[in-house]
Amino acid sequence: MRLRHIEVFHAIMQVGTISGAAQVLHISQPAVTKVLQHCELQLGMPLFERVRGKLYPKPEAHRLFAETEKLNRDLQGIRRLAASLKGRAVETIRMVSTPTLAISVLPDAMSEWRRDFPTTRCELATHHTSEIVNMLRLGEADFGLSLQDPRHPGIVAEPIAQGVMTAIAPPGTWRDDELALPLSPCGLQGELIGYADNDPLGELVVAACEAQGIHPTFRTVVQTYQIARSLVQAGGGMAVVDPFTAASSSRIQRRPLTPAIGIQLYLLTAGHSPLSHGARQLADCIAQAARTCLGTA
């Protein structure tokens, strides 16, 4: 199928009529009919049942739609990019981050960066680290942010800020003179909020506890550090979170763990794709915002 065939085919699948597809594509109805007929001729099979002016997809059409959906999205993206270039629009920066960093670090960084890049388009998505790696490898993002080094041969992991895992608790749990003192695993008492078994930072915390003969029991298990922090704020118990999540709320108490569990914030890029000037400036603002968040600027 040619690209024009795919575009017309997807428009018909979405609206169900020749006239509707013509309106979506801003072309004439005879043009849509001609492209569809040529497409079906090339494939050697009809894709739709024609009933009183409506087109009903055959099973083959549904299978074809599923296989060509990503290609059609890419085609639309190319058209939007071409329109932007024609209109002399500035670049688009595509950034993907873990949810933790998107909430705790990026807002301040974006506000600072916007002062120098007020018209640059920036697209932000949130995913877990494995999906960030896939997006970078496929060229679907310019850079990513994660608290993990994926150790992937095609990905460059640049540390841009560092801190330590931090215990958090509801207000009033510790005396004021205790807040500056590190907390040992035996100090993690009462209701503890844990993470899924495959969470790498959660595994570090459990390993640190077990190294000192402490075997924590988690009756509440969550998927993100933000949820853990929200539960702590509501008086639901203690948790150990990354330092960015811990520092982004004033409604909890926090203490560093001892022995310290170091955490790095990594800027992830595809090894073959250097950052543009605007993207590098945004990464620098993120690094500065992260260090400010941790009080290490």
Side-chain angles (χ1 to χ4, degrees):
M1 294 179 70
R2 298 177 180 176
L3 292 178
R4 190 57 168 173
H5 293 167
I6 293 173
E7 189 175 33
V8 170
F9 168 67
H10 272 254
I12 296 173
M13 288 288 290
Q14 290 166 352
V15 299
T17 64
I18 294 291
S19 60
Q23 291 179 351
V24 169
L25 298 173
H26 305 292
I27 60 177
S28 68
Q29 293 184 38
V32 173
T33 300
K34 183 177 180 180
V35 171
L36 177 59
Q37 290 174 342
H38 190 255
C39 175
E40 292 179 323
L41 182 64
Q42 278 198 327
L43 292 172
M45 71 180 77
L47 295 173
F48 300 91
E49 294 280 358
R50 278 80 167 169
V51 180
R52 292 191 293 274
K54 288 279 291 183
L55 298 178
Y56 295 90
K58 292 191 169 186
E60 294 83 358
H62 285 292
R63 291 184 59 187
L64 191 62
F65 182 80
E67 291 295 327
T68 59
E69 189 172 11
K70 183 179 184 302
L71 183 59
N72 184 64
R73 289 199 305 268
D74 292 343
L75 176 61
Q76 299 308 316
I78 292 171
R79 290 188 182 280
R80 289 192 295 270
L81 174 59
S84 295
L85 294 175
K86 183 178 180 180
R88 296 185 179 181
V90 292
E91 66 174 324
T92 294
I93 296 173
R94 301 164 303 166
M95 171 175 49
V96 59
S97 167
T98 59
T100 290
L101 299 169
I103 293 174
S104 60
V105 175
L106 289 187
D108 288 342
M110 287 289 295
S111 296
E112 179 65 26
W113 176 76
R114 275 288 174 213
R115 297 174 185 174
D116 294 325
F117 295 86
T119 61
T120 301
R121 178 181 172 86
C122 183
E123 298 175 355
L124 169 62
T126 57
H127 289 286
H128 294 298
T129 302
S130 59
E131 185 61 26
I132 292 176
V133 169
N134 289 334
M135 293 181 69
L136 292 172
R137 291 179 60 243
L138 294 173
E140 297 175 349
D142 298 309
F143 68 88
L145 298 168
S146 176
L147 296 178
Q148 302 173 45
D149 180 352
R151 301 187 183 280
H152 190 284
I155 301 298
V156 177
E158 175 188 344
I160 58 175
Q162 62 182 5
V164 294
M165 292 293 282
T166 304
I168 59 175
T173 301
W174 300 306
R175 301 190 311 270
D176 290 345
D177 60 346
E178 294 178 308
L179 297 180
L181 302 175
L183 183 72
S184 66
C186 64
L188 297 172
Q189 302 172 349
E191 184 71 23
L192 296 180
I193 299 165
Y195 307 100
D197 291 340
N198 60 352
D199 182 87
L201 301 187
E203 290 176 350
L204 289 177
V205 173
V206 172
C209 290
E210 292 179 343
Q212 296 194 19
I214 305 297
H215 300 279
T217 299
F218 305 108
R219 288 191 291 269
T220 301
V221 177
V222 298
Q223 288 189 322
T224 69
Y225 309 125
Q226 297 85 13
I227 295 176
R229 185 194 64 197
S230 296
L231 291 174
V232 170
Q233 287 178 178
M238 289 187 184
V240 179
V241 299
D242 68 276
F244 303 102
T245 298
S248 60
S249 174
S250 60
R251 296 165 54 195
I252 55 174
Q253 291 184 312
R254 56 183 184 266
R255 294 172 65 179
L257 285 183
T258 183
I261 302 175
I263 294 297
Q264 299 266 20
L265 167 55
Y266 293 98
L267 175 72
L268 306 180
T269 55
H272 55 80
S273 301
L275 293 180
S276 66
H277 172 67
R280 171 49 68 178
Q281 291 297 111
L282 178 53
D284 290 345
C285 287
I286 292 169
Q288 181 59 46
R291 292 191 290 267
T292 300
C293 179
L294 300 180
T296 59

